[in-house]
Amino acid sequence: MTEPRVSSIDGKLAEEFAAPSHVDEVRERIAAFARLHAEAGRCVVLISSGGTKVPLESRTVRFLDNFSSGRRGAQSAEYFLETGYAVVFLHRHRSLYPYARTLSSINVLDALEFSGGTQEPDRVVVNPEVLPNMAKVLKKYREVTDAQLLLPIEFSTLSEYLHLLKASAQSLNAIGSKAMFYLAAAVSDFYIPVCDMPEHKIQSSNGPLQLSLKMVPKILSPLVKDWAPQAFVISFKLETDAAILLDKARRALETYRHQAVVANVLDSRRGYVVVVTPTSQHEVVLSKEDVNNQVEIEERIVTNLTAAHERFIEQQVG
Ligand code: 9Z3
């Protein structure tokens, strides 16, 4: 396997984005995870999920954030696992998590009760009316964790995300085309370099705040060209104006030369996406009936992309 190359963005990353102290440990863990699963004949997908925090002060009191809940990433992780992939889940701290997402819309205490209706403090059971599928979900979660198929890696800030994605890509490079990147995280386009950031809390007594933010380097470029050049890479394109969405998706494919873009509009993202590749455009739509049957669009997206990944691997080998 070829060594990952150094890119022109590496210098910028090192200078302007603080690396998390455990980045080398994460690199090692992902390398071991990839080895284990490649030896067992499995593909490995790295899913990025959730929004990024952009601090305004180095001892951070305030930061910029975005809307992403991490639902896309968490749901997709479950379908990749069902398809037989091992999953590196690079997710924003406290964003939705595979399987545990079932608990996200309730107050957990409302789903628990004392067994036999008595107030015995050490006997607590789940109320099946509040959480009807809990046993099924717990079983799947245990199977996945017992088989070490899910490797969670957390980030909070944009800097942590960029450094951890780079380290992950360099580690997954070792398994070539069997690695997939499914980049569903909503990553900030703007940031304040560490050298321009005030150390202490910005004082409101100084009057109105004017911010000058720099453009975040396009990380997809070194990922595709230098860090994991043989991998199958999918980026996500989000717009609020549907009229420009597909043009932007195609432009991304031309610029970065990766394998697919999943294009979605903020308001319709749970029920409609378009999977765009250099040679095709496939609409994935949930019907009213699908919605009533609680079908999740991620199941269809993952089916489409794992089939494309399989063809990609065959072409590389053949
Ligand atoms: C997406 O487009 C994801 O589908 C969502 C999922 C973030 C909309 P949720 O987390 O939402 O389920 O609430 N992710 C990528 C968004 C993005 O920021 N893309 C950038 C762009 O479109 C760069 S690849 O320019």
Side-chain angles (χ1 to χ4, degrees), residues 302-313:
V302 168
T303 302
N304 180 293
L305 291 171
T306 50
H309 187 204
E310 205 173 306
R311 292 193 294 275
F312 176 79
I313 294 172

Side-chain angles (χ1 to χ4, degrees), residues 7 12 66 73 77 139 150 170 183 203 207 211 272 307-308:
S7 87
K12 195 170 201 125
N66 65 51
K139 185 165 176 284
L150 178 61
Q170 290 176 327
L183 303 173
Q203 293 299 314
L211 292 174
Y272 178 79

